[in-house]
Amino acid sequence: MSPTCNCSHDTIPNGLPRELHEQFKDPNHPANLICELCRLFYDNNWVTGTGGGISIRDVEGPNPNIVYIAPSGVQKERIQPWEMFVVELPDEKILRTPNDIPKELTKSYKYKQSACTPLFISCYTLRDAGACIHTHSQNAVMITLLYEDQSVFKINHIEQIKALPRLEYNSKSGKVEKIGSLENFETLIIPIIDNVPHEEDLVESLEKAIKDYPGTSAVLVRRHGIYVWGETIWKAKVYNEAIDYLLELAIKMKIAGINPIKD
Amino acid sequence: MSPTCNCSHDTIPNGLPRELHEQFKDPNHPANLICELCRLFYDNNWVTGTGGGISIRDVEGPNPNIVYIAPSGVQKERIQPWEMFVVELPDEKILRTPNDIPKELTKSYKYKQSACTPLFISCYTLRDAGACIHTHSQNAVMITLLYEDQSVFKINHIEQIKALPRLEYNSKSGKVEKIGSLENFETLIIPIIDNVPHEEDLVESLEKAIKDYPGTSAVLVRRHGIYVWGETIWKAKVYNEAIDYLLELAIKMKIAGINPIKD
Amino acid sequence: MSPTCNCSHDTIPNGLPRELHEQFKDPNHPANLICELCRLFYDNNWVTGTGGGISIRDVEGPNPNIVYIAPSGVQKERIQPWEMFVVELPDEKILRTPNDIPKELTKSYKYKQSACTPLFISCYTLRDAGACIHTHSQNAVMITLLYEDQSVFKINHIEQIKALPRLEYNSKSGKVEKIGSLENFETLIIPIIDNVPHEEDLVESLEKAIKDYPGTSAVLVRRHGIYVWGETIWKAKVYNEAIDYLLELAIKMKIAGINPIKD
Amino acid sequence: MSPTCNCSHDTIPNGLPRELHEQFKDPNHPANLICELCRLFYDNNWVTGTGGGISIRDVEGPNPNIVYIAPSGVQKERIQPWEMFVVELPDEKILRTPNDIPKELTKSYKYKQSACTPLFISCYTLRDAGACIHTHSQNAVMITLLYEDQSVFKINHIEQIKALPRLEYNSKSGKVEKIGSLENFETLIIPIIDNVPHEEDLVESLEKAIKDYPGTSAVLVRRHGIYVWGETIWKAKVYNEAIDYLLELAIKMKIAGINPIKD
């Protein structure tokens, strides 16, 4: 089930606590999926140079409030399952950090929590997401430059739009819920927020964008990248792929003088 | 014989019925080939975000009327051989669906038939095809945008055109038959049809295009992608590769101000 | 020593004659190298859609007059070592064809000799080459379109030019011989010949170009691709890579309005 | 920990001296890391056609003055750990060359030291670097062509800039030291030096650029490529990736008419 190659990439070392050793035998454990997808995203040029990150909430596990987050500033394609920060919602209590792991496995590297952490938490809190992906995709950055004076990116009448969910605020549950998929002729709208010097300071504008655009599954950050979330990590992956496809196409259209919005 | 890596990607799980277990040991079984080619197409950015699909008619098997079709809305690069819909022509009788497979293998996912199914069936019925490939290739989408007001894409005097078959209506057999290959100086013509909200509603215009252009092995769908078919899955793969190569080249030519048609 | 992945791609089947079985155990056997490099070239989009081909003369083997040639019209990334045509120079005597191989290994496919064969032979005869590579690289095709009215491609003052050999006619040996490498400030000149309907009819103009340009290691074929040769398969591979790099760069330069020739 | 595939790419041959045999069992040995990263860089089109190179100083080993350097003129993606030149600083004493290795492992190839060697040494000497990477990246070459009349490349207000180190001259230690990371709104400045016929003659201008720009981790060489260094090979890899990302983005911006410098 691995993206480009099914070779056993990660052999679990002996030094790990027995409990983790058991957990990581499951290729679908959130910590393993983060590693697998980071390698895939690296090949897509989305997380090179330590950029970007992934977080998964363990929605299928015994405690769906537990969140796994890739650490800050490391080479994303080389992280190992024992290098995750593990946080419990809603209090954001830190259950485990890679600094708790035997030093011979981490070479005494001092891990820091990802600066994206509060942004990931916003997606979990405001949207009940199961996973959140952050990339430095050049398509995301370029579209925000081509729409420099605009606060949203829009595209319509492209088949791939169908891969994205139709979301609606449900006044009974008080939640934004998926009620199907977009149609290909509909307009996909993704808000663009401006970058700030410190990633954690993006929280306010990200949360505002999420609230102002209840139909969106993503927020573009100008001159920076994109945040995409979904009900599960696989949905988040699909939404991210479909959006990046549409961003790439829109850039080509703009450069060829074709409006991504058809009348 | 796998596209980029020969590692054993798919190990057959124990829960499968013995009959399927035996079938899937053959790497050339249509269900395995669909999986293998979906991974290759994913790497080409042709079926990301659950887009596209493949169908193979078992032309070399005991019953050439049996058709294997990848399911709808799943990640194409991760499908497994037991996740196919199996249909028998000409009545389109459903012989097996992935919903018949032990739930522990499919995680209780509720599979839907691909919306492309009637389009694939059209290729089998009208052209006696052995396989049909549908991609969301950006080259296909872009060419239909660059030829927005035209109903065909044309290119000539490029060597790669030779990879495409010369097809002709045979009044004796009543079928369109391959009688060789195109010459490099000839004009390859691929009809473009307009997209519709629901993929199954493309059948009428796709069938009209197939009938109006007996020489074509493919139909472009504007703002959507392409359908390509062939006598076997390998021929369909080669035609699809050659056409995508020509579409990519034609886009580069158009942008550089060079006409894909040489006088 | 494989290009992207060292997994054992080709397991040798039992049905082969014992002699071939032994030969193909050597990963550096010309027939294995052709397979390995075809997979690499496929990933580079140089030989998709059955396009292109490779031929190796067994310069390190017991008989350096033996030439291995990939067959015509097959998927280049999937050929197996027993599918080569084997020819002996100078009489072009066919020593073995894949049609001689047990049918269960070739599925009774009727192989044809590559239409490139006489062109490969020209490189062996006129230049004493050890290998010849033919690709449908889009960079090669595009440069011939951007230089539509010219008979040569020229570039200078780029470091990568150093990877190409300095060739000179030696009146004593009567041969064109390598006497070092080009300098980065020198002008690389590659002749462009026009395409013809049948590949074998390119021989005359290819041979004329080889004779007219004793310093070249390659000939571009307009709207078709490129032929590149070298003293060994590894040299031919390096020259082909370096030339394709320079063609790609020259296209970017032209489109950005920069002349590939610096005064 | 391998870049795209964890298959055991290099099996250590028996003919090696026992000491080397033991060393090369460690995948993190500098000689193995050079091989691994050369394969990765080859896939990125940074070192095709024998271009580019890597050197690692053994900063974590028993003698941090020992430097491993890939040899000249070989296919970078195919080098083996026993093909390195090993040099000791500060006298540049050659401890081992691949010509000392049993001939059956090197096929009697006569290795030459990389022409980049004095440039790598400059980075070690002037900046106390732990590794130095040299690529022929087309992004590097193109940016020097787009900034033909300028002696520096500048970009600011892009998130990826944060991956680069903040360097400052420490008058106490007399060294340029890392004191943190750049902010995303700051201006990354990379000096551009002009190419010369012989790579070793670049030393003077490279050293001048390193001294004139104490904040830089890289030097662009016009019409040639880039040199990037870091405290360790992993830091050098990350800096190189981040810079190449920014060069690629800047090229797209320039072509779209967007200034890489925001007011």
Side-chain angles (χ1 to χ4, degrees), chain A residues 1 6 160 237 241 245 252, chain B residues 42 49 75 77-78 136:
Chain A
M1 296 274 280
N6 239 27
Q160 192 73 21
K237 170 183 173 287
E241 276 177 12
Y245 172 103
K252 292 178 187 169
Chain B
Y42 178 80
Q75 295 179 80
E77 79 281 16
R78 287 163 195 269
H136 287 187

Side-chain angles (χ1 to χ4, degrees), chain A residues 94-152:
Chain A
I94 295 176
L95 302 185
R96 195 173 74 236
T97 88
N99 297 314
D100 303 332
I101 295 294
K103 288 303 167 207
E104 61 271 22
L105 293 181
T106 59
K107 304 192 176 170
S108 304
Y109 184 81
K110 178 74 184 155
Y111 294 87
K112 284 182 298 181
Q113 244 188 310
S114 170
C116 311
T117 303
L119 300 158
F120 291 151
I121 302 290
S122 296
C123 298
Y124 294 131
T125 307
L126 295 179
R127 285 294 186 84
D128 209 25
C132 190
I133 291 166
H134 170 50
T135 83
H136 287 187
S137 161
Q138 295 218 348
N139 294 323
V141 175
M142 273 305 291
I143 212 74
T144 67
L145 292 168
L146 291 170
Y147 288 73
E148 183 88 58
D149 54 352
Q150 288 168 50
S151 61
V152 292

Side-chain angles (χ1 to χ4, degrees), chain C residues 18-70:
Chain C
R18 180 189 291 257
E19 177 209 346
L20 293 185
H21 206 280
E22 283 305 306
Q23 284 181 19
F24 297 155
K25 279 186 184 165
D26 175 10
N28 287 312
H29 187 279
N32 282 325
L33 293 179
I34 289 176
C35 297
E36 178 187 333
L37 292 174
C38 278
R39 287 192 298 267
L40 175 65
F41 293 177
Y42 178 80
D43 289 345
N44 286 350
N45 205 22
W46 288 342
V47 297
T48 54
T50 78
I54 308 183
S55 164
I56 299 180
R57 189 159 64 82
D58 195 15
V59 284
E60 295 189 354
N63 181 351
N65 286 323
I66 292 185
V67 172
Y68 293 81
I69 307 170

